[in-house]
Amino acid sequence: MNVFLQNLIPLIIALIGAMIWLAFNALILVYCERKFAGHIQRRPGPFEVGPHGILQPLIDGVKLMGKQLVRPDNADPVLYWLAPILSMLPVLLLYMPIPYGPVLTGMEVNLGLLLILAFSSFNGLAVILAGWASNNKWGVLGAARAVSQTVAYEIPLLLTVLTISFMTGTLNLTEITALQAGHIGHWFIWKQPLAFLVFLIAMFGETNRAPFDLAEAESELTAGFHTEYSSMGFGLFFMAEYGYMVVMCSLCTVLFLGGFHGPIPGVEGWWWMLAKTYGLLFVMIWARWTFPRVRFDQLLNINWKWLLPLATFNLLATALIIKL
């Protein structure tokens, strides 16, 4: 077997694993989101289908796939159908460099951190294409708002990631995880609490989650950039959003919470990574059903007046301390 096939086969296996992981997360998160909404806001709907509402995600999926795929008149046919695919496909690559266990990494990449930041930007391109190609003014306005929000929150997110990279001297996520081995005191959240806080808030803005879900403000933009999408056209955007949530929470776990390492020496495994990642996901779901949505000017002010200066100060302070 030549070298090309030796590298290609593990990559294909990793991509299939990423697809299964993405589909599994979509089902689990839909169920959790509905159950959380039901309990927090006393909504009876999520408890009706199956025992304690356990069949609700399945019914949602069947309903979504059963709807007709339609395209508005005068919409660009190529760009219109390309947008949801372009939103979905990069998510699979984002899972590749994340170490979920000691030997559970899809693809070892020295520039794994850079790869995640680069490919996550494709979502902004997909949003622009969806809004522009829909031939709908609400779609264009929603796309403009979503992209301005995503670009704004990417900057403090990038600065906090650079802080960890400066400290560790590497962009390899496996090496960053290894440097936090041992006990809970080695986790970078204690060395970089400000970076963790900024990353956490920017993560909400980057994934368009409440209270920063202005891109889909129903009362102003009907459904934002995907107003004209139905059936699995909308479904792919929906799955991509959950996919990006899992990627961001996994990245936060690797950078600040020790990755797959447990809080005491010698205890490690994929279950720690899963527990920490899902802990962060539950915080995101809880925030959606608890806090009111902010205004768009407030959303941008939080970023440009607070997050960006704090992230810049933290990066410069870290660089100065390392230099000294």
Side-chain angles (χ1 to χ4, degrees):
M1 185 181 296
N2 59 37
V3 178
F4 176 73
L5 285 178
Q6 284 180 345
N7 293 327
L8 182 63
I9 292 174
L11 182 62
I12 292 174
I13 294 173
L15 281 172
I16 293 172
M19 290 172 67
I20 296 171
W21 178 234
L22 180 63
F24 172 78
N25 276 303
L27 278 176
I28 295 295
L29 289 176
V30 166
Y31 177 72
C32 293
E33 183 114 42
R34 283 184 165 272
K35 299 304 289 185
F36 270 47
H39 281 291
I40 293 174
Q41 297 190 344
R42 294 188 178 182
R43 295 184 177 196
F47 300 95
E48 294 295 325
V49 186
H52 207 63
I54 198 167
L55 296 179
Q56 188 66 54
L58 186 64
I59 298 301
D60 284 346
V62 171
K63 183 178 71 175
L64 201 61
M65 288 186 284
K67 288 186 176 179
Q68 183 183 5
L69 277 170
V70 293
R71 177 173 57 82
D73 293 339
N74 300 322
D76 188 307
V78 176
L79 298 182
Y80 181 80
W81 295 120
L82 180 64
I85 297 171
L86 194 60
S87 175
M88 183 70 189
L89 282 183
V91 181
L92 299 175
L93 293 176
L94 300 184
Y95 286 119
M96 293 291 108
I98 296 176
Y100 281 94
V103 291
L104 199 59
T105 306
M107 185 173 59
E108 278 293 344
V109 185
N110 286 332
L111 301 176
L113 200 49
L114 198 60
L115 184 144
I116 289 180
L117 294 173
F119 278 95
S120 63
S121 301
F122 271 88
N123 192 44
L125 180 60
V127 167
I128 291 176
L129 290 182
W132 179 259
S134 294
N135 191 30
N136 179 304
K137 62 183 177 182
W138 306 114
V140 175
L141 287 171
R145 282 179 32 157
V147 171
S148 64
Q149 175 180 338
T150 303
V151 170
Y153 278 80
E154 263 184 4
I155 300 172
L157 194 78
L158 178 64
L159 292 177
T160 55
V161 166
L162 280 178
T163 306
I164 299 297
S165 182
F166 278 14
M167 278 179 53
T168 58
T170 179
L171 292 169
N172 187 311
L173 294 174
T174 303
E175 293 178 9
I176 292 174
T177 305
L179 291 170
Q180 300 175 78
H183 55 79
I184 192 172
H186 291 168
W187 296 358
F188 290 153
I189 186 175
W190 311 118
K191 295 178 181 176
Q192 291 289 342
L194 183 58
F196 173 72
L197 184 64
V198 172
F199 188 97
L200 200 63
I201 298 172
M203 187 171 71
F204 279 80
E206 180 73 6
T207 53
N208 291 329
R209 291 290 297 185
F212 300 148
D213 57 338
L214 274 297
E216 301 170 17
E218 293 90 349
S219 58
E220 306 160 40
L221 294 167
T222 58
F225 60 89
H226 51 58
T227 299
E228 296 293 349
Y229 285 89
S230 62
S231 187
M232 285 311 293
F234 168 78
L236 289 179
F237 282 118
F238 193 66
M239 287 182 68
E241 180 178 315
Y242 280 127
Y244 282 112
M245 283 172 60
V246 175
V247 168
M248 283 299 160
C249 289
S250 301
L251 188 60
C252 185
T253 301
V254 169
L255 295 179
F256 298 102
L257 301 176
F260 56 78
H261 295 294
I264 56 176
V267 178
E268 63 180 31
W270 58 267
W271 50 88
W272 281 112
M273 182 74 182
L274 206 61
K276 295 172 192 174
T277 301
Y278 264 82
L280 290 171
L281 285 168
F282 289 152
V283 170
M284 295 184 82
I285 294 173
W286 164 75
R288 176 177 182 183
W289 301 105
T290 303
F291 297 106
R293 176 183 288 140
V294 299
R295 294 199 315 267
F296 197 67
D297 61 313
Q298 291 173 329
L299 179 144
L300 294 181
N301 281 339
I302 291 171
N303 177 70
W304 296 113
K305 292 184 179 178
W306 292 99
L307 293 186
L308 185 58
L310 285 173
T312 306
F313 168 77
N314 192 57
L315 179 65
L316 293 176
T318 302
L320 182 64
I321 292 170
I322 292 172
K323 187 68 177 176
L324 292 177

